[in-house]
Amino acid sequence: MMSVTPIPALSDNYIWLLRQDTSQSVCVVDPGEAAPVIEFLERESLTLNCILITHHHHDHTGGLAELIKRYSPHVIGPANPNIEGIDETVGDGDEVRIMGRLFDVMATPGHTLDHISYFTAGIPALLFCGDTLFCAGCGRLFEGTPEQMHTALKKFAELPEDTLVFAAHEYTQANLTFARAADPENEDVKHALQECEKARALDRPTLPSTIGRELKINPYLRVGTDSVRQAAGTQGVNNDDLATFTTLREWKNRF
């Protein structure tokens, strides 16, 4: 059975640690810094043998050099020469075996052009989506287009609803606050915000989410609903799903 543990890093990042219960070897996703990973590994007497990278931003790769020097893990990531230390470059449609499970690689540009995500079916199904999909939100468009991000999110929406969503940042409370404005008739959003506020008051992670939950509370996955369309119409163009998505993303940038 594969377990996934959050390692808090930087101001609001999560480095996800994957482990099979019977093994002391582990994999981490997007190590933005090395120190919290090293501390966790030493405390639990674990060995790092693999790292997954979703994109090139420093808060997802900043710990690579030190972890490579200390543990010599196999590093898998996108084909971007700006990421130093990648052993195996992967892209859309590739498969990688991690801790005994087969992961599908999905191209999910938008936040960055090199962004990829990792999905594995099974019980439970797992999605490591970096900065593409957040709980109740999506990544800011630094390099890609609204169309690219909208297409990436539609890929996620087609995954099994029980898929666990492991986003890379604790942005849930801010995202739900925006979702309340962007989807004002949605009672699921209001309830989710209440639960989120309770969790954060106790300093507990709000992740993972699930695809099924995101389909209920994430306005970027609900651009075809009347409530989101009407709210988007107060801020800009909303004459189709992509236009509504574009308006929402621009609205969130200044929210």
Side-chain angles (χ1 to χ4, degrees):
M1 183 72 175
M2 179 173 284
S3 62
V4 183
T5 303
I7 302 177
L10 302 170
S11 62
D12 51 35
N13 283 65
Y14 290 125
I15 301 168
W16 297 106
L17 181 142
L18 288 63
R19 180 186 182 188
Q20 290 286 12
D21 293 340
T22 58
S23 174
Q24 295 301 106
S25 297
V26 301
C27 174
V28 297
V29 183
D30 285 348
E33 60 177 337
V37 177
I38 294 170
E39 179 183 356
F40 188 94
L41 296 176
E42 292 186 348
R43 184 174 70 245
E44 302 294 328
S45 299
L46 301 173
T47 301
L48 180 65
N49 75 349
C50 181
I51 296 175
L52 299 180
I53 299 295
T54 62
H55 66 291
H56 68 272
H57 282 167
H58 187 72
D59 64 322
H60 294 252
T61 62
L64 262 181
E66 188 173 351
L67 293 174
I68 290 170
K69 182 178 180 180
R70 190 180 185 102
Y71 299 106
S72 299
H74 183 68
V75 183
I76 301 170
N80 186 333
N82 292 319
I83 308 174
E84 295 184 5
I86 298 288
D87 298 305
E88 181 181 354
T89 59
V90 292
D92 195 50
D94 289 337
E95 295 179 333
V96 292
R97 189 167 293 278
I98 306 296
M99 318 268 47
R101 286 182 64 162
L102 196 63
F103 282 73
D104 295 319
V105 180
M106 306 167 67
T108 52
H111 179 68
T112 64
L113 294 178
D114 66 342
H115 203 297
I116 57 176
S117 300
Y118 302 89
F119 168 75
T120 179
I123 303 175
L126 312 174
L127 173 67
F128 297 91
C129 49
D131 286 359
T132 299
L133 175 66
F134 297 125
C135 182
C138 74
R140 188 182 290 263
L141 304 180
F142 285 110
E143 298 175 4
T145 66
E147 184 175 9
Q148 286 175 316
M149 180 65 88
H150 181 50
T151 298
L153 295 180
K154 287 194 293 184
K155 290 183 182 180
F156 293 153
E158 295 172 356
L159 296 175
E161 290 194 9
D162 61 354
T163 300
L164 296 176
V165 176
F166 295 92
H169 289 274
E170 183 56 72
Y171 289 165
T172 307
Q173 190 165 355
N175 286 339
L176 283 168
T177 301
F178 173 71
R180 188 172 54 185
D183 199 358
E185 299 174 13
N186 191 332
E187 292 298 321
D188 290 316
V189 168
K190 297 174 185 177
H191 177 71
L193 182 56
Q194 293 172 353
E195 293 300 308
C196 172
E197 289 170 344
K198 292 177 184 177
R200 295 311 296 155
L202 297 171
D203 199 29
R204 293 176 180 169
T206 61
L207 299 169
S209 185
T210 66
I211 292 297
R213 184 169 185 249
E214 293 307 303
L215 291 171
K216 292 179 179 179
I217 66 173
N218 193 317
Y220 302 102
L221 298 180
R222 294 173 50 79
V223 292
T225 64
D226 290 341
S227 178
V228 174
R229 281 278 178 93
Q230 290 170 9
T234 68
Q235 302 293 319
V237 178
N238 71 336
N239 54 8
D240 60 29
D241 288 356
L242 178 58
T244 302
F245 171 84
T246 302
T247 296
L248 286 180
R249 186 57 262 184
E250 292 174 350
W251 182 10
K252 178 62 166 63
N253 291 345
R254 60 182 188 270
F255 186 76

